[in-house]
Amino acid sequence: QQVKPFDYIIFGATGDLTMRKLLPAFYYRLSAGQVPHNARIIGTARSPLERSVYQDRARDALKRFVQPHDFHEDLVEQFLNMIHYVSLDGSKAESNWENLRSLLNESPQEQIRVFYFATAPNLYGAISENLHKEGLVTEESRVVLEKPIGIDLASADQINNEVGRFFKENNVFRIDHYLGKETVQDVIALRFANPALEAVWSAKYIQSVQITAAETVGVEGRAAYYDHSGALRDMVQNHLLQVLCLVAMEQPASLEADAVRDAKVKVLQSLRPMDETRLKNDTVRGQYTAGQSNGIAVPGYLQELGESSNTETYVALRAEIDNPRWNGVPFYIRTAKRLKQKVSEIVIRFKAPETSLFPQQPRSSLLVIRIQPDEGLSWSLETKNPLDDNFALQKATLDVNFSKAFDVRYPDAYERLLLDAVRGYPVLFIRRDEVEAAWRWVAPIMEAWANNEVPMTEYKAGSWGPKQAEEMLAARGDVWHEDM
Ligand code: BG6
């Protein structure tokens, strides 16, 4: 349903995220009737642009990132009318705040104010302070912080402290767009609305869990950011650990934000810390070399960058959770740029029977939760081969594609999250202690990699990653999903 009228003030409004994700997401929610006519989106960035020029850029963004059959001229016009632009350096007290103030003053007092920080995270504190000094932070104002929050625990603490001086914790919305993905939220529904599934959701029946976020793109125009970040900070510390939390958490007391976050943070705190041996055996980092991406020849990471670099574009890890439910179950996590296929998925590999009644050993049953693309579920089970009178087995797969089954468009994660911040509904955002626990767990990995205690491997663009990642699984008799 429609949210209350809002002013959404975006810092970093000329950036890639705003154009690619935020503006199209607002457009889709307007088209769904969820955005009231008197809502406004106020872009701010340093560039001195006329409002009309910014509106033209917004139109181009919609042209590029909205499906052609969803691009309706009258709706686009209505959308562009909601858009304003203020040239402002939010991190500078001496910048020209007057225009933003007078624009905000035009709105009635009850208009909900959301500040969205899509800038470098080290500016979040300064922007918050300036907003406060200018008297723009009302009691109910919310702030949305894009990830990554810092580059390690100390910088995350600092940013959270600085922002926390001017915004109450329950008005701070730390975004992790993976939580906005419908199929990620589905993990909660699947587990806790189906007791039959939850009954086998433990080390007793599960052999391993794989969480993959594979991308075919390279670092695109983002090398300046990415080379300081790398796949571990960019994807694992946040998105993949959040997915892991939902797969592994105990049933929360309710679907209230704190109940769900309490359950998630317990998982993060139960991750077994990486020690020296595990850092060597259970972490793999790599960089892509020249190869093919979707049939097109592409350069390697270092060629793209034009200099040497110790930044990984590939990560594979074996995580373990020290609690009675998960003792001994490996959680394999991997993510990378320039892999063979774009796919994010969770693969639950159930144990095969220890002894076999049949002429052959039954294979593991796999439950695959396809996060994207092709959102859906598949479950492979052993069945009897009808052409064999000796009980030979064959795999049968139950498969459902959600958008076909339910005949709906699967929305982009940002659509839901942007409006949840207006609603003041934080369950799909990250609490401060989660950010900290996640940084704490990745810290030894970051340190060992920075000190080159784990060698950098290479993989060809368009492949499934370095052979060392295959070996990591083979050492325990496991294989990655694509090889199963
Ligand atoms: C972002 C990362 O958070 O997630 C990007 O910064 C990455 O590097 C993106 O490409 C992946 O998101 P999605 O939704 O396409 O899986």
Side-chain angles (χ1 to χ4, degrees):
Q1 61 283 50
Q2 206 172 66
V3 297
K4 293 193 180 137
F6 60 80
D7 284 336
Y8 232 102
I9 304 100
I10 304 175
F11 289 86
T14 49
D16 185 65
L17 180 78
T18 304
M19 295 298 163
R20 187 182 290 271
K21 294 288 182 185
L22 306 187
L23 296 180
F26 279 120
Y27 173 83
Y28 271 110
R29 290 292 144 143
L30 175 70
S31 117
Q34 295 181 1
V35 173
H37 71 276
N38 45 354
R40 299 187 302 175
I41 299 163
I42 304 174
T44 84
R46 279 174 303 184
S47 319
L49 300 177
E50 291 299 322
R51 178 181 179 199
S52 62
V53 175
Y54 189 71
Q55 286 168 320
D56 288 344
R57 289 197 192 177
R59 168 187 280 280
D60 290 345
L62 299 187
K63 263 249 131 51
R64 284 183 64 200
F65 301 116
V66 163
Q67 293 294 327
H69 55 263
D70 295 322
F71 188 97
H72 305 296
E73 209 40 70
D74 48 341
L75 198 64
V76 171
E77 277 312 310
Q78 192 187 337
F79 180 73
L80 295 178
N81 280 334
M82 290 170 48
I83 294 199
H84 296 257
Y85 181 81
V86 174
S87 164
L88 173 71
D89 183 344
S91 65
K92 299 256 157 54
E94 65 280 10
S95 192
N96 181 1
W97 288 87
E98 197 37 53
N99 293 344
L100 180 60
R101 182 175 318 101
S102 54
L103 206 52
L104 289 176
N105 282 344
E106 288 170 12
S107 291
Q109 199 121 59
E110 61 282 6
Q111 189 97 343
I112 291 176
R113 214 171 262 187
V114 185
F115 299 103
Y116 193 112
F117 296 175
T119 63
N122 59 357
L123 305 180
Y124 294 173
I127 304 174
S128 304
E129 181 168 7
N130 291 329
L131 286 169
H132 168 79
K133 275 196 194 142
E134 295 293 327
L136 301 178
V137 181
T138 57
E139 190 56 18
E140 285 309 308
S141 292
R142 327 200 198 299
V143 64
V144 182
L145 307 182
E146 247 309 324
K147 65 136 263 271
I149 313 273
I151 51 163
D152 56 15
L153 180 58
S155 53
D157 264 349
Q158 189 181 344
I159 293 168
N160 281 321
N161 284 340
E162 287 172 1
V163 173
R165 284 173 56 209
F166 309 106
F167 291 93
K168 290 185 294 195
E169 175 66 21
N170 62 357
N171 286 331
V172 179
F173 289 73
R174 297 180 189 82
I175 211 161
D176 184 309
H177 78 281
Y178 263 61
L179 292 180
K181 291 184 192 282
E182 286 294 326
T183 34
V184 170
Q185 295 164 48
D186 241 323
V187 174
I188 302 180
L190 276 170
R191 289 190 54 199
F192 302 120
N194 298 290
L197 207 50
E198 187 56 11
V200 294
W201 209 259
S202 70
K204 188 160 181 212
Y205 295 105
I206 292 179
Q207 179 169 336
S208 69
V209 176
Q210 290 186 15
I211 301 171
T212 294
E215 298 187 272
T216 52
V217 291
V219 290
E220 313 289 284
R222 297 165 74 224
Y225 152 74
Y226 194 86
D227 198 54
H228 285 108
S229 167
L232 186 65
R233 288 187 173 93
D234 187 49
M235 295 288 290
V236 175
Q237 186 271 344
N238 32 72
H239 306 323
L240 296 191
L241 287 184
Q242 283 295 318
V243 174
L244 178 143
C245 284
L246 297 183
V247 173
M249 72 184 183
E250 297 303 316
Q251 177 163 331
S254 72
L255 286 179
E256 293 299 315
D258 276 334
V260 174
R261 292 148 147 201
D262 286 345
K264 285 192 295 166
V265 86
K266 280 192 190 135
V267 175
L268 293 169
Q269 288 163 347
S270 308
L271 283 169
R272 183 178 298 173
M274 287 280 179
D275 59 21
E276 212 175 307
T277 319
R278 293 197 48 224
L279 284 165
K280 293 217 164 68
N281 295 338
D282 295 344
T283 76
V284 175
R285 58 177 182 143
Q287 284 174 342
Y288 59 83
T289 56
Q292 298 266 328
S293 174
N294 298 322
I296 297 164
V298 293
Y301 180 62
L302 298 183
Q303 287 160 286
E304 252 173 89
L305 206 62
E307 56 189 23
S308 69
S309 165
N310 197 28
T311 300
E312 76 288 352
T313 59
Y314 179 100
V315 180
L317 305 174
R318 187 175 70 90
E320 278 191 68
I321 300 170
D322 283 331
N323 67 21
R325 187 193 278 266
W326 294 115
N327 263 337
V329 179
F331 280 73
Y332 299 112
I333 300 175
R334 77 179 154 163
T335 182
K337 302 285 183 195
R338 287 276 188 245
L339 289 188
K340 187 164 186 156
Q341 203 184 324
K342 164 116 180 138
V343 56
S344 295
E345 63 177 20
I346 303 164
V347 180
I348 310 290
R349 182 175 183 185
F350 288 100
K351 287 183 175 163
E354 279 170 21
T355 56
S356 180
L357 260 190
F358 306 95
Q360 77 211 66
Q361 176 61 31
R363 288 153 296 180
S364 298
S365 157
L366 296 185
L367 174 65
V368 182
I369 303 172
R370 293 192 301 267
I371 298 176
Q372 69 188 24
D374 185 24
E375 289 84 351
L377 275 182
S378 73
W379 195 349
S380 70
L381 297 164
E382 290 286 26
T383 61
K384 183 188 167 299
N385 179 340
L387 302 177
D388 186 284
D389 291 339
N390 201 20
F391 261 105
L393 300 174
Q394 69 178 13
K395 279 267 182 205
T397 302
L398 308 172
D399 199 319
V400 51
N401 166 299
F402 289 150
S403 64
K404 277 199 198 121
F406 305 127
D407 194 20
V408 288
R409 176 183 76 89
Y410 262 64
D412 188 78
Y414 278 95
E415 295 180 30
R416 163 79 192 265
L417 297 177
L418 286 175
L419 294 199
D420 273 1
V422 177
R423 294 183 187 107
Y425 184 60
V427 68
L428 299 176
F429 294 81
I430 318 272
R431 203 168 58 190
R432 178 172 176 163
D433 53 350
E434 294 180 77
V435 177
E436 291 169 358
W439 277 125
R440 215 169 270 126
W441 187 72
V442 298
I445 310 174
M446 295 192 302
E447 196 183 316
W449 290 3
N451 296 334
N452 286 320
E453 286 160 29
V454 177
M456 181 69 82
T457 68
E458 290 184 346
Y459 62 103
K460 214 168 159 190
S463 71
W464 271 113
K467 67 174 190 325
Q468 288 82 349
E470 282 169 35
E471 290 163 3
M472 177 173 92
L473 268 65
R476 306 185 167 258
D478 269 312
V479 288
W480 291 107
H481 183 203
E482 65 277 5
D483 298 323
M484 282 178 186

